[in-house]
């Protein structure tokens, strides 16, 4: 079953929803949420209804218009309240954060009504999980640690930050592994960018680097393909060829010996077709029952695993009008 394009450019939304539907842990949580007592309508209830109608269709093939979901989205956020093309990554970000906020709000309400499990209000704390964590965080959240080492006194200061998706810079003729390695490169802070060291109580030269401290269950990787060009006064697309494998081995770069590496499988890709962020088109490639499907709004076709290579990007910069992987969803095997 596929999602139909509705009134205006909604492919940025359709492609992300189709990709998320095939992220099994996410789909299962959404469908489980749908079976709970009804809440007042919001973006999450609309998404749950949409996933439910896809999952429970009696017919083998067909099209489902995400009318209620799109109407709700436009009501909730003025950024999407128009007929223009939007950025699929911005939409993904907004959707995951909104669902997490709604779940946290519901938990707060239940807590106030004394409805939490086992009749105890603190049951969430007893298993070591902070009350703020939702299943969105359990599925998509990873942790980065930002380390700065003073080159004078060798003191390392580190600050953790969580992410629901990881945005990485792209270069010509590279791979996802290379992009992630570049993400963790050490940078020297010197001259006017010196770091204020608390230990030395003065500005010092320092080494700074970002490391992955905790890998998520589903890693959503956003390739930064849109770059603002000063001379053009607008964003342009980097159609660089970036290879993304079907299987990705990731190392925990923070030196945590308990979980040194994880193996990930590619489960979905949101592809941008065209030359710029506010024009062009989005399609989704997903893995279902060991074969690959290409969703182009309401058109679905089965494709060969080899055909995915066509969406790596272009080796020449002459043509900017390309079909290139934009958001990649990798699911951890464990």
């Amino acid at each position: 079953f596929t999602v139909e394009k509705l009134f205006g450019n909604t492919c940025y939304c359709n492609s992300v929803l189709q990709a998320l539907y095939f992220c099994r842990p996410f789909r299962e949580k959404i469908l489980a949420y749908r079976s709970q007592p009804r809440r007042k309508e919001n973006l999450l209830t609309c998404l749950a209804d949409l996933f439910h109608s896809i999952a429970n269709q009696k017919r083998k093939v067909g099209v489902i218009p995400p009318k209620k979901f799109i109407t709700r989205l436009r009501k909730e956020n003025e950024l999407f309240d128009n007929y223009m093309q939007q950025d699929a990554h911005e939409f993904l970000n907004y959707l995951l954060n909104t669902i997490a906020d709604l779940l946290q709000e519901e938990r707060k309400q239940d807590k106030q009504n004394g409805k939490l499990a086992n009749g105890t209000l603190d049951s969430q704390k007893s298993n070591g999980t902070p009350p703020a964590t939702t299943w969105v965080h359990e599925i998509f959240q990873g942790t980065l640690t930002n380390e700065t080492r003073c080159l004078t006194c060798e003191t390392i200061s580190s600050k953790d930050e969580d992410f629901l998706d990881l945005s990485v810079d792209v270069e010509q003729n590279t791979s996802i592994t290379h992009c992630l390695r570049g993400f963790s490169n050490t940078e020297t802070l010197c001259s006017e960018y010196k770091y204020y060291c608390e230990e030395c109580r003065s500005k010092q030269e320092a080494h700074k680097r970002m490391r992955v401290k905790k890998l998520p269950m589903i890693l959503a990787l956003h390739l930064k393909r849109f770059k603002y060009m000063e001379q053009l006064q607008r964003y342009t697309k980097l159609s660089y060829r970036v290879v993304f494998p079907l299987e990705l081995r990731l190392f925990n770069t923070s030196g945590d010996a308990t979980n040194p590496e994880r193996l990930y499988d590619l489960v979905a890709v949101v592809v941008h077709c065209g030359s710029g962020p506010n024009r062009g088109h989005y399609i989704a490639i997903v893995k279902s029952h060991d074969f690959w499907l290409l969703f182009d709004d309401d058109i679905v076709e089965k494709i060969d695993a080899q055909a995915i290579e066509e969406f790596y990007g272009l080796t020449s910069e002459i043509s900017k009008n390309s079909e290139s992987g934009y958001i990649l969803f990798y699911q951890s095997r464990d």
Side-chain angles (χ1 to χ4, degrees):
F1 260 76
T2 180
V3 183
E4 184 182 26
K5 186 171 179 176
L6 288 172
F7 36 90
N9 288 305
T10 55
C11 60
Y12 69 89
C13 170
N14 289 354
S15 57
V16 169
L17 294 183
Q18 281 153 342
L20 286 173
Y21 185 83
F22 287 91
C23 290
R24 196 171 151 192
F26 181 78
R27 178 178 73 234
E28 285 173 354
K29 288 289 187 187
I30 291 281
L31 293 172
Y33 177 85
R34 171 68 169 56
S35 62
Q36 290 170 8
R38 298 300 288 160
R39 308 260 183 181
K40 66 174 193 294
E41 188 187 287
N42 56 39
L43 207 59
L44 175 52
T45 64
C46 292
L47 182 64
D49 286 345
L50 179 63
F51 275 23
H52 177 79
S53 52
I54 297 172
N56 291 281
Q57 274 302 323
K58 298 283 181 280
R59 287 176 299 149
K60 285 266 193 294
V61 290
V63 174
I64 290 171
K67 208 167 184 173
K68 195 164 78 162
F69 180 84
I70 298 282
T71 306
R72 189 79 222 176
L73 176 69
R74 289 179 170 167
K75 199 184 277 184
E76 303 253 322
N77 189 330
E78 57 185 31
L79 176 70
F80 305 112
D81 190 17
N82 51 57
Y83 297 102
M84 289 157 62
Q85 181 63 283
Q86 301 298 333
D87 187 305
H89 174 246
E90 273 180 29
F91 167 66
L92 171 70
N93 218 289
Y94 174 72
L95 182 63
L96 293 182
N97 281 296
T98 301
I99 294 173
D101 289 348
L102 288 166
L103 290 169
Q104 283 169 342
E105 192 49 47
E106 283 178 12
R107 186 178 286 174
K108 211 164 105 185
Q109 292 292 316
D110 287 349
K111 201 169 182 179
Q112 282 165 0
N113 300 339
K115 282 184 190 167
L116 276 186
N118 310 330
T120 61
L121 294 184
D122 283 331
S123 61
Q124 291 296 315
K125 291 177 186 171
S126 60
N127 62 6
T129 311
T133 308
T134 69
W135 48 258
V136 173
H137 300 104
E138 284 162 17
I139 295 170
F140 289 101
Q141 185 173 280
T143 309
L144 297 171
T145 185
N146 202 332
E147 286 183 356
T148 311
R149 182 165 66 92
C150 172
L151 294 181
T152 306
C153 70
E154 299 286 322
T155 302
I156 297 172
S157 71
S158 62
K159 187 169 171 263
D160 287 357
E161 57 184 86
D162 297 325
F163 63 88
L164 290 178
D165 64 78
L166 209 51
S167 292
V168 292
D169 288 309
V170 294
E171 289 169 36
Q172 181 56 284
N173 288 328
T174 52
S175 67
I176 280 300
T177 317
H178 177 90
C179 295
L180 288 165
R181 208 173 288 139
F183 189 81
S184 300
N185 277 350
T186 303
E187 178 192 343
T188 304
L189 304 175
C190 53
S191 53
E192 75 258 43
Y193 300 108
K194 276 183 182 173
Y195 159 75
Y196 182 83
C197 174
E198 294 288 346
E199 204 66 34
C200 301
R201 295 189 177 180
S202 58
K203 285 195 169 185
Q204 299 292 343
E205 288 193 359
H207 276 166
K208 185 185 172 194
R209 69 165 174 172
M210 192 76 95
R211 298 207 290 179
V212 178
K213 188 175 183 178
K214 178 181 163 282
L215 290 163
M217 185 194 297
I218 290 181
L219 176 66
L221 277 176
H222 162 235
L223 305 187
K224 288 153 90 170
R225 288 201 177 271
F226 301 119
K227 189 179 180 183
Y228 189 75
M229 294 299 199
E230 209 61 63
Q231 63 271 36
L232 298 171
Q233 297 283 294
R234 64 176 168 85
Y235 281 90
T236 188
K237 183 177 176 183
L238 305 174
S239 296
Y240 300 152
R241 180 182 158 87
V242 179
V243 173
F244 46 92
L246 300 182
E247 194 179 286
L248 183 67
R249 192 179 294 276
L250 283 185
F251 293 90
N252 184 333
T253 55
S254 69
D256 176 5
T258 54
N259 193 2
E261 64 172 349
R262 271 175 109 167
L263 203 56
Y264 283 83
D265 292 302
L266 186 68
V267 288
V269 184
V270 171
V271 173
H272 180 270
C273 318
S275 58
N278 294 19
R279 50 191 178 277
H281 182 52
Y282 288 102
I283 58 176
I285 304 165
V286 303
K287 192 176 189 181
S288 172
H289 302 291
D290 287 333
F291 54 80
W292 290 91
L293 300 172
L294 189 148
F295 285 87
D296 185 346
D297 284 327
D298 49 0
I299 301 158
V300 188
E301 58 179 284
K302 195 174 165 185
I303 61 165
D304 221 30
Q306 257 103 7
I308 292 171
E309 294 175 18
E310 292 167 27
F311 303 101
Y312 288 165
L314 303 168
T315 45
S316 73
E317 273 302 280
I318 304 152
S319 167
K320 291 270 196 301
N321 199 2
S322 71
E323 298 185 337
S324 25
Y326 184 48
I327 309 168
L328 314 171
F329 294 87
Y330 279 97
Q331 187 173 327
S332 169
R333 272 198 201 166
D334 44 319

